[in-house]
Amino acid sequence: MKKNLKLLASFSILILSLWFSFGRASGRELQGGERNSKNYKDFFPVSVWYTGGRVRAPMIEPVTEKSAAEWRADLEQIKKLGFNTVRCWIEWAYNEKEEGKYDFSSLELLTDLAAQVGLKVICQVYIDSAPEWVGRKYPDSAFVASNDLKIHSQSAPGYCFDHPGVREKVLNFFSQAARAVKGKPAFYGWDLWSEPHIINWSEVYQIGDLKYVQFCYCPYSQARFRGWLQKKYQKIENLNQAWHRTFKSFDEAEPPRFGTILTYTDYLDWQEYISDKLAEDLALKAQAIKKVLPETVVTSHSAIPGIFSQPAWDGTPDDRKMNNGCDYYGVSIYPKHAGAVRPWSPYFRAAGLDFVRSMAWANQGFYLGELQAGYGVFGMKVSPPVTAEDLRDWMWTSVAYGARAINLYAYYPMSSGYEAGGYGLIELDGKVTARAEEAGRLASVINKNMNYFLRAQPPRAEIALLYNPISHLVGGQQTFTSEGQPVGYNNLSESLQGWYRAFYERGIKVDFLHVRDLKERAASYRLIIAPYPVMISGPYVQELIKFVENGGTLVAEARFAWIDEKGFSFPVIPGGGLDKVVGCREFQLLPIAKTGKIIVKENHPALPLLKPGELLDSVFFEETFKLEDKKAQVLASSEDGQPMIVLAPYGRGQAIMVGSFVGSAYYHFKNINNGKFMAGIADWLKIKPAAEVKTTPEEALVELRWLEGPDYRLFFAFNRSEKIAEGQIHLTLPWSKISLKNLETEKEIVFASGSDGVTFRTELEPQAVQVYLIKKVS
């Protein structure tokens, strides 16, 4: 299983040149509120999901006379494999079957047994599976769909948290669970909410007869929404103007149920409110735990990285907002989910992890709440097998991207339901698999070197891709592209992924910058790119203008600032004064049936990788421009000669306006010239990749990542290709002597650094990963 480091005696085919930027301050500044937890920075959990017995989550096996012996045997095996933590779970339906009568005996027994074998415990809390007494006590607490259908809980999806009685009982359940483990040394922390939504998996339940159903429209959710509106608008006259209504008071306002031709400001408010509400609900659950256990770690995790999602999908959370409510927020990663013909591609997985990392910048890391441990199952849909090599790749990749915990889902396969037999690290009869042994071995490496991983952070990026979630909402509920794609077609995601891929393929690190962080963080980047920027709030427009004025470079795709945060069109496109920044305004807009062409006009320093006459793909729209600044330059044009890429100076900075969605086009059609255009901007600005890779064969993909510690570096080399890669690695370091240690083989070599650095040779097998500790030697 091991992909050992091989020190070769002669020059190899693959040349890997690694250039570290050590002049910067290491890591990121912790910004945000003071932490209550004293120990959450001092431990790196590597766990398996296990709660005693073989039942699937969120079910719980009752404690019997045999439980202690049987569960201890499982825990001893988990410890023997190399893991340092188990992730158990509790559920409201089981642990409070009768109101006020709590049974946490399974949690208490498991935590005590974990202490005996030397494991920590993290507990997942499930509220979606609610006891029937809640519905009897609060008959008006059911979820209500936008078509007024009342949802009768069948254990799931439970009851609406906006109901004051339900909220009180839920928060009390959290506090009682905390009291059950108070004082137990093995207990480490919590995941308060698995894959948050307003109502989990509503598309699975196929609720109602509408193609597009929203939640929740119960009286209590509507009242909470009205409170949010009153806080935002202050006066009913302001709401009426924004919504085009004639309400007498806020009591008359309701969430929208369908779109109209007049305005969709109500829909924009509803979606913004939902993401605010989810973040507030998470914070309330965290407070319920912290008031009992102020030093415990509280976490939560999304179903998928937010870059692949959008607000309109079943009340999806905003990852950036969710990070504010807990110590760590994270994600589920299932690269071979049920029905997958092939696993996630390396760049797709990298985009997802970099997005999660970027949204968690204030917490200095993220939790991998669930990492797929076995093949996927959904009824008759199954995925390819999950191998030991897969887990090796997925685990080390997560660490290299800044994860602060890895939780493998699950130890035993699912025992029942439509996922029966799937996702297990071992077999249901207890047989240990090769992938379990490999995952445990890696866990032991992380555990042994934990202090290095905890003190290191990914290096800073100089490029940011702007994440602006309201761009998903152009047109409100009536969203269609020129290709006729309906609501759910993820144009923003595809544009972001296309730009990300162009940089990823060249080893250039980028961040995703949420618009809400523009004011605080924009100045730390040299280049900000706004993919699919069709809708943007006025205050964020002003922050982008300030960024360019102060010397930054801004690149924007078509219809930049077309619509504002109220759903109204700006008088000029680009709007809000951005036309002055980009030196041009929209002249003509043409829809494209599939793809069009953008023609490079001339040699220009901003297009270092392209030649005159070369073609870029366009998609959805072709937007041509009228120049309004004499200093503006046309870099590329439409097929009929109209300007489509314009460069203009502004203040101490500059801006490039692109008349189509070249990122989305690259995502779809992979025109190499699109990639050259995007990556060429970084080359023009002298933003160099931190790691340069030359491969033989040329199509081989080798990815290099690292984490920066105070006086050391953790370096990761991934062979993403299907062929062996032999190579020479050159390190330029500020130290006269270094040690290079392979953390898995523990082979260590001391190098004297010359004027041009140090060089060593290596071999990477297909899907191989090599992890090194680089330290200064005195």
Side-chain angles (χ1 to χ4, degrees), residues 465 495-503 529 531 555 557 662-663 678:
L465 299 177
S495 288
L496 286 165
Q497 289 182 63
W499 280 93
Y500 181 89
R501 180 170 186 160
F503 295 118
I529 298 162
V555 179
E557 291 189 318
V662 291
M678 294 183 276

Side-chain angles (χ1 to χ4, degrees), residues 212 214 217 256-260 264 266-267 270-271 473-480 487:
Y212 182 65
Q214 303 176 79
Y217 288 74
R257 299 172 189 268
F258 52 85
T260 72
Y264 55 92
D266 53 357
Y267 177 72
W270 177 235
Q271 293 299 329
L473 305 177
V474 170
Q477 292 169 257
Q478 315 302 316
T479 300
F480 289 85
V487 169

Side-chain angles (χ1 to χ4, degrees), residues 437-454:
E437 293 174 338
E438 179 68 358
R441 189 182 67 79
L442 299 186
S444 65
V445 173
I446 295 171
N447 202 50
K448 185 175 181 179
N449 297 280
M450 185 180 298
N451 191 47
Y452 291 117
F453 289 107
L454 288 173

